């Protein structure tokens, strides 16, 4: 499983990455966390506001900071 964090390095993007890592640690699952900062790739993913989050290629949020519990739920849905 792969979780992609989309963002250009703003404070919210860093906060989202931190929340994703916390969620993965709490779930104790084998999940690859990838941070994507390239604007072309961000636009290709269909994101129009940041930060963005995708689980196995499916966009789950954009333009807001989901809670750790939300992130955990999205990861568990893919298991």
């Amino acid at each position: 499983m792969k979780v992609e964090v989309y963002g250009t390095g703003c404070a919210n993007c860093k906060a989202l990455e931190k929340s994703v890592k916390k969620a993965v640690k709490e779930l104790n699952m084998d999940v690859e966390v990838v941070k994507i900062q390239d604007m072309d790739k961000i636009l290709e993913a269909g994101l129009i506001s940041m930060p963005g989050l995708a689980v196995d290629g499916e966009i789950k949020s954009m333009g807001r900071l989901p809670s750790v519990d939300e992130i955990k739920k999205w990861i568990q849905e893919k298991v």
Side-chain angles (χ1 to χ4, degrees), residues 3-70:
V3 175
E4 296 166 308
V5 178
Y6 294 90
T8 56
C10 67
N12 283 342
C13 300
K14 291 176 183 174
L16 178 57
E17 182 180 19
K18 186 176 177 181
S19 293
V20 168
K21 288 181 177 178
K22 181 176 181 182
V24 168
K25 184 176 181 180
E26 287 180 10
L27 289 171
N28 193 28
M29 295 175 60
D30 186 24
V31 176
E32 178 185 8
V33 178
V34 178
K35 185 164 185 182
I36 299 173
Q37 294 182 293
D38 182 83
M39 277 307 291
D40 289 336
K41 290 183 179 178
I42 291 170
L43 293 173
E44 284 176 16
L47 293 165
I48 55 174
S49 62
M50 287 179 270
L53 174 71
V55 178
D56 280 345
E58 181 181 343
I59 300 295
K60 294 295 190 179
S61 74
M62 71 172 84
R64 68 180 188 92
L65 288 174
S67 70
V68 171
D69 286 339
E70 281 180 291

Side-chain angles (χ1 to χ4, degrees), residues 1 27 29 55 69 71-79:
M1 176 180 300
L27 289 171
M29 295 175 60
V55 178
D69 286 339
I71 297 166
K72 288 165 63 175
K73 179 182 162 196
W74 293 330
I75 292 171
Q76 289 175 317
E77 287 175 351
K78 291 290 185 176
V79 176

